[in-house]
Amino acid sequence: MELAPGWETALRWGVVLLVAYLVGSVPVGYSVARWLGRLDIRRYGSGNVGATNVTRVMGARAGALVLAGDVAKGAVAAWVGLRLLGVQGAVAGGLLAVIGHSWPVFLRFSGGKGVATGLGAVAVISVPVAVAMVAIWAGVVLATRYVSLGSIISASTAPVWLWLAFRDWPVVAGGVLMVLIIAWRHQSNVRRLLSGSEHRSY
């Protein structure tokens, strides 16, 4: 039995959103720390499961593995959305992956900050946009030595780049929501930046 076009579209959206959230929820940082160091990364450093904290606690090798895994989560989620629903589906998939990474069902809804996962999604949506964001992040980090500041500023430019690339308001709206989530997850970093107590990268 064939589904009516409306039902087929609704089913595709449901699949994209569910798969993207579950992929985003995969606890890469937690798993790498358990695998390489037999420790619960949530009890060390800042307590975050992202690549930055894993790098500070366990070194560059572990951090690189977490970074690659978190980027891959966003890329896979966006790719599923792109295949099933086009660019808008890719943005929705990336957004749900960021939500899953930030509030993962597998870690009782306590996760990371979504930057690497968001970047992976953007790379599938538009490689030039991803390159521009990485360049901005690198420039800010080199100038200030604050990874968190580079992440916040780089992420905040995503809606502008997406608008220039697609001129599609739903796509831009998805980018704005990603930025808001990432900014929300960086609240403690913002407070430390304002007080001058934020940890520098080098």
Side-chain angles (χ1 to χ4, degrees):
M1 182 179 71
E2 293 186 4
L3 293 173
W7 280 104
E8 181 179 352
T9 301
L11 180 60
R12 286 174 181 246
W13 275 105
V15 169
V16 168
L17 298 179
L18 178 60
V19 169
Y21 174 76
L22 291 176
V23 168
S25 291
V26 173
V28 176
Y30 176 85
S31 300
V32 168
R34 282 292 195 191
W35 172 43
L36 293 181
R38 296 183 181 178
L39 55 84
D40 184 344
I41 193 62
R42 297 171 298 179
R43 300 178 182 271
Y44 296 84
S46 67
N48 191 268
V49 297
T52 299
N53 190 46
V54 172
T55 300
R56 288 171 182 161
V57 173
M58 301 185 63
R61 177 193 174 200
L65 286 173
V66 175
L67 178 63
D70 286 346
V71 169
K73 292 194 301 184
V76 168
W79 180 83
V80 171
L82 185 66
R83 293 285 294 180
L84 292 180
L85 293 163
V87 174
Q88 291 185 7
V91 173
L95 175 61
L96 264 292
V98 169
I99 291 172
H101 178 79
S102 302
W103 296 283
V105 66
F106 304 121
L107 290 180
R108 297 183 180 179
F109 306 104
S110 178
K113 298 182 179 178
V115 177
T117 300
L119 178 63
V122 170
V124 169
I125 296 163
S126 172
V127 172
V129 171
V131 170
M133 292 176 64
V134 170
I136 292 169
W137 176 87
V140 174
V141 173
L142 288 173
T144 67
R145 296 191 291 157
Y146 288 125
V147 171
S148 58
L149 184 61
S151 299
I152 294 167
I153 291 176
S154 175
S156 68
T157 67
V160 176
W161 299 121
L162 290 172
W163 169 250
L164 293 174
F166 297 103
R167 308 279 175 162
D168 185 306
W169 283 114
V171 169
V172 174
V176 169
L177 290 174
M178 281 192 209
V179 172
L180 291 175
I181 291 170
I182 289 170
W184 177 265
R185 299 295 290 173
H186 279 82
Q187 287 182 88
S188 60
N189 301 92
V190 171
R191 287 194 293 269
R192 289 194 296 270
L193 285 166
L194 293 174
S195 67
S197 60
E198 177 70 322
H199 182 84
R200 292 182 185 269
S201 60
Y202 59 91

